[in-house]
């Protein structure tokens, strides 16, 4: 079993929500990312990179070029100033394949240390595991093989039960692939590398694809299929379709790929070689499908340091709580709203219940937005914001619930492409119940505590305490009737003193 560090260098475990930073010195880029928000679902406060390409000459000379070293050191000097100005003391600086493999790699690290940065040189196994823990954190319960493609190396890690089980780092990074393909026998060379690492066997489960080049591959696939979402994180691609696209990409010119929205010229240059590599990997390891992850090494370093209880938190609910909480919607009020509306939830699976709670908190936040912006925000928040552990079906249901809370029941095609009619109908019903609660008493805790929603026989009954009976006026009656009609029931209002009114 392979495990990673779970403590900071001073021995303290990390679970708080203060700003923290990661500097990632890779073979292609030198990047600074500053994170904030909840530890289980961190948000990016600042992200910048310099394409120094430290590893561009490794295959030919085995060294880091002087100009690349100078460019990287200039970036690190800048990052040190930014971190000082932000007053961030929790910094993890790591270096990977290029400094690790280059003859002058230690010279580079010694010069980098002059900027006051404590840089940790990761071994191939440590790099592989850090990337794998990024996927583990992003996809709770993930079981399969993490495929992290960087500039200097390719990391392969078998994951399951929240752990890394087998890991290897191969010299098959994007900066090495062009020369390998140009000399011929590319497939044979990749297979030999896999054999030497003990990877000449099938592994169950999907490939979890980590790295910017793979995300560019996902973007290409999403554009080709007119996929309705914009974020490649969580995008799933059947193995057969991935093989077909890889065959096509191997033959495309980078200039044509760079014209596709979302694919940079740097990634376009590397995609054909990466596609050729993917073909061999799929033939040898036989994944069920490809799942693309925007969480990788940097997020994995962060995830490894969390307390076990923090790791076990639901990343979607943690992210929603942070996002909606800053917009005046608390977790407590969301839980009260979700509980109040539970009677209309028809399919009480664990997955649907977490979505229902997330939708409740987002709906509360949505109704604090200007009315003319709400419909647009409902779709943007659900479909375009990066939520962790939230697939296309779940996003569609969140969108349907939010639109339902606005009284909108006709779903746009973009949403209908992601979930079936029953799933969307269920979510719309949640939203209509949230709308009823808001109509009843502005979602005040007093109004919800003094009322209850229940289904019995062919009725949908809203019970209201006598001291809140004045709330039962036309807007409430109308929304109750609309919700009852959707549930194929008769609406009733019942006052706790025993007076019952048919409507």
């Amino acid at each position: 079993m392979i495990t990673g560090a779970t403590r900071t260098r001073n021995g303290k475990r990390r679970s708080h929500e203060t700003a923290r930073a990661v500097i990632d010195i890779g073979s292609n880029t030198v990047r600074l990312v500053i994170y904030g928000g909840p530890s289980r679902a961190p948000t990016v406060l600042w992200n910048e990179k310099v394409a120094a390409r430290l590893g561009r000459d490794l295959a030919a000379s085995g060294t880091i070029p002087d100009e690349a070293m100078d460019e990287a050191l200039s970036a690190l000097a800048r990052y040190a100033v930014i971190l000082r100005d932000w007053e961030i003391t929790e910094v993890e600086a790591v270096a990977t394949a290029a400094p690790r493999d280059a003859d002058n790699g230690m010279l580079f690290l010694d010069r980098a240390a002059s900027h006051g940065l404590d840089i940790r040189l990761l071994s191939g196994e440590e790099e592989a595991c850090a990337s794998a823990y990024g996927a583990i954190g992003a996809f709770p319960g993930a079981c399969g093989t993490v495929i992290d493609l960087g500039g200097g190396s390719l990391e392969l890690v078998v994951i399951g039960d929240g752990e890394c089980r087998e890991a290897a780092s191969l010299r098959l990074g994007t900066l090495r692939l062009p020369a390998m393909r140009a000399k011929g026998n590319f497939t044979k060379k990749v297979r030999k590398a896999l054999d030497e690492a003990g990877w000449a066997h099938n592994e169950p489960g999907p490939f979890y694809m980590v790295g910017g080049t793979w995300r560019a591959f996902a973007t290409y696939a999403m554009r080709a299929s007119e996929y309705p979402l914009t974020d490649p994180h969580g995008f799933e691609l059947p193995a057969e379709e991935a093989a077909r696209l890889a065959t096509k990409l191997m033959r495309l010119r980078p200039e044509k790929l760079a014209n596709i929205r979302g694919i940079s010229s740097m990634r376009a240059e590397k995609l054909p070689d990466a596609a050729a590599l993917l073909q061999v990997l799929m033939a040898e390891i036989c994944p069920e499908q490809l799942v693309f992850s925007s969480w990788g090494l940097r997020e994995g370093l962060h995830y490894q340091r969390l307390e076990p209880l923090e790791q076990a938190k639901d990343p979607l609910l943690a992210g929603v709580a942070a996002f909606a909480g800053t917009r005046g919607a608390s977790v407590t009020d969301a839980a009260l709203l979700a509980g109040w509306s539970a009677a209309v939830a028809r399919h009480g699976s664990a997955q649907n219940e977490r979505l229902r709670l997330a939708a409740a908190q987002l709906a509360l936040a949505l109704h604090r937005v200007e009315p003319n912006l709400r419909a647009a925000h409902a779709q943007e928040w659900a479909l375009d914001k990066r939520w962790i552990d939230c697939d296309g079906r779940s996003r569609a249901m969140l969108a349907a619930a939010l639109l339902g809370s606005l009284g909108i029941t006709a779903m746009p095609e973009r949403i209908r492409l992601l979930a079936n009619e029953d799933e969307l109908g269920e979510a719309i019903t949640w939203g209509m119940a949230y709308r009823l609660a808001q109509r009843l008493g502005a979602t005040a805790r007093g109004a919800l505590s003094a009322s209850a929603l229940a289904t019995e026989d062919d009725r949908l009954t809203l019970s209201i305490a006598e001291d809140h009976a004045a709330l039962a006026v036309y807007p409430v009656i109308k929304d109750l009737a609309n919700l009852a009609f959707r549930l194929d029931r008769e609406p009733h209002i019942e006052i706790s003193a025993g007076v019952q009114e048919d409507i």
Side-chain angles (χ1 to χ4, degrees):
M1 182 184 299
I2 303 166
T3 58
T6 57
R7 294 179 182 270
T8 57
R9 290 195 174 86
N10 63 10
K12 296 181 179 179
R13 288 182 177 272
R14 177 175 71 181
S15 63
H16 51 76
E17 299 186 6
T18 57
R20 55 268 184 203
V22 174
I23 295 176
D24 177 6
I25 304 170
S27 300
N28 267 321
T29 63
V30 178
R31 185 185 295 268
L32 166 67
V33 182
I34 299 176
Y35 296 98
S39 291
R40 187 59 185 92
T43 55
V44 175
L45 304 180
W46 185 257
N47 184 342
E48 72 167 85
K49 67 179 179 182
V50 171
R53 300 184 69 195
L54 292 173
R56 70 189 186 215
D57 290 347
L58 284 179
S61 69
T63 62
I64 297 172
D66 290 342
E67 62 272 23
M69 187 180 296
D70 290 342
E71 188 172 7
L73 291 170
S74 294
L76 293 174
R78 169 180 162 79
Y79 298 164
V81 173
I82 291 173
L83 292 171
R84 186 173 67 244
D85 287 349
W86 275 60
E87 299 182 352
I88 295 175
T89 58
E90 190 173 349
V91 180
E92 177 111 16
V94 297
T96 56
R100 183 172 66 233
D101 296 340
D103 295 338
N104 57 347
M106 293 310 299
L107 171 64
F108 167 76
L109 293 177
D110 288 342
R111 293 181 62 186
S114 66
H115 298 299
L117 298 171
D118 184 7
I119 300 171
R120 179 160 61 107
L121 179 63
L122 299 180
S123 68
E125 185 177 281
E126 287 174 328
E127 181 182 357
C129 288
S131 295
Y133 276 109
I136 289 169
F139 304 98
C143 181
T145 305
V146 175
I147 311 288
D148 181 6
L149 179 60
S153 61
L154 172 75
E155 275 63 57
L156 302 175
V157 189
V158 177
I159 59 172
D161 298 325
E163 297 175 343
C164 302
R165 294 178 173 170
E166 186 177 351
S169 181
L170 310 180
R171 294 188 175 187
L172 296 173
T174 56
L175 294 173
R176 304 178 189 267
L177 296 180
M180 290 178 63
R181 289 188 74 194
K183 293 177 181 178
N185 297 318
F186 179 74
T187 297
K188 183 178 179 180
K189 292 173 185 175
V190 174
R191 285 175 176 167
K192 181 181 178 182
L194 291 170
D195 288 342
E196 291 175 348
W199 279 84
H201 53 85
N202 295 348
E203 292 291 343
F207 278 174
Y208 292 93
M209 312 296 285
V210 174
T213 302
W214 292 142
R215 289 195 297 275
F217 187 103
T219 298
Y220 176 79
M222 292 164 70
R223 300 288 181 267
S225 64
E226 298 183 351
Y227 189 67
L229 299 182
T230 57
D231 188 356
H233 178 78
F235 176 64
E236 299 178 357
L237 192 62
E240 298 81 4
E241 179 64 8
R244 186 188 70 81
L245 290 174
T247 299
K248 184 176 181 180
L249 274 169
M250 289 166 56
R251 301 182 175 93
L252 287 180
R253 295 175 61 84
E255 308 88 76
K256 184 173 182 179
L257 291 169
N259 290 328
I260 299 174
R261 180 169 52 88
I263 299 179
S264 68
S265 57
M266 184 179 76
R267 299 303 180 192
E269 180 185 350
K270 296 172 175 58
L271 263 179
D273 295 325
L277 175 63
L278 180 61
Q279 285 281 44
V280 184
L281 295 175
M282 293 181 64
E284 295 297 309
I285 306 176
C286 302
E288 297 171 0
Q289 63 175 341
L290 276 58
V291 180
F292 295 86
S293 176
S294 289
W295 275 28
L297 182 143
R298 293 179 293 276
E299 291 76 18
L301 292 170
H302 167 79
Y303 179 81
Q304 286 177 276
R305 291 168 173 259
L306 298 180
E307 292 276 6
L309 288 177
E310 194 75 12
Q311 290 180 345
K313 287 183 178 179
D314 187 313
L316 171 63
L317 295 180
V320 167
F323 177 79
T326 60
R327 290 159 176 79
S330 71
V331 173
T332 300
D333 287 339
L336 182 60
L337 177 57
W340 187 89
S341 60
V344 305
R346 292 172 291 176
H347 306 295
S349 67
Q351 173 68 0
N352 277 7
E353 283 303 292
R354 70 191 282 267
L355 289 178
R356 205 165 63 80
L357 178 57
Q361 192 168 9
L362 288 173
L364 289 171
L366 186 64
H367 282 260
R368 287 163 171 77
V369 172
E370 292 181 36
N372 61 311
L373 299 177
R374 291 174 186 168
H377 279 4
Q379 294 188 63
E380 291 167 357
W381 290 1
L383 301 179
D384 297 322
K385 189 181 186 314
R386 178 168 294 169
W387 301 118
I388 302 303
D389 195 24
C390 187
D391 60 13
R393 165 196 173 273
S394 300
R395 287 179 174 275
M397 292 184 71
L398 287 177
L402 295 182
L403 289 173
S405 75
L406 302 177
I408 300 171
T409 58
M411 295 294 105
E413 182 181 7
R414 187 184 181 201
I415 295 173
R416 289 188 284 108
L417 290 171
L418 294 169
N420 64 43
E421 186 175 343
D422 286 344
E423 291 166 338
L424 294 180
E426 170 79 358
I428 291 169
T429 301
W430 305 341
M432 294 177 69
Y434 303 156
R435 180 179 178 83
L436 175 60
Q438 290 161 343
R439 289 281 203 190
L440 181 64
T443 329
R445 296 181 185 181
L448 295 186
S449 299
S451 62
L453 195 63
T455 56
E456 49 189 357
D457 299 327
D458 61 347
R459 290 183 175 184
L460 175 66
T461 301
L462 174 61
S463 301
I464 305 176
E466 190 171 20
D467 61 346
H468 280 69
L471 298 179
V473 294
Y474 173 70
V476 173
I477 293 172
K478 177 184 176 182
D479 284 330
L480 177 63
N482 289 339
L483 180 57
F485 178 79
R486 187 163 192 88
L487 295 170
D488 196 23
R489 295 176 185 271
E490 291 296 324
H492 290 265
I493 291 180
E494 187 174 277
I495 305 303
S496 62
V499 178
Q500 181 174 303
E501 301 178 11
D502 290 351
I503 61 174

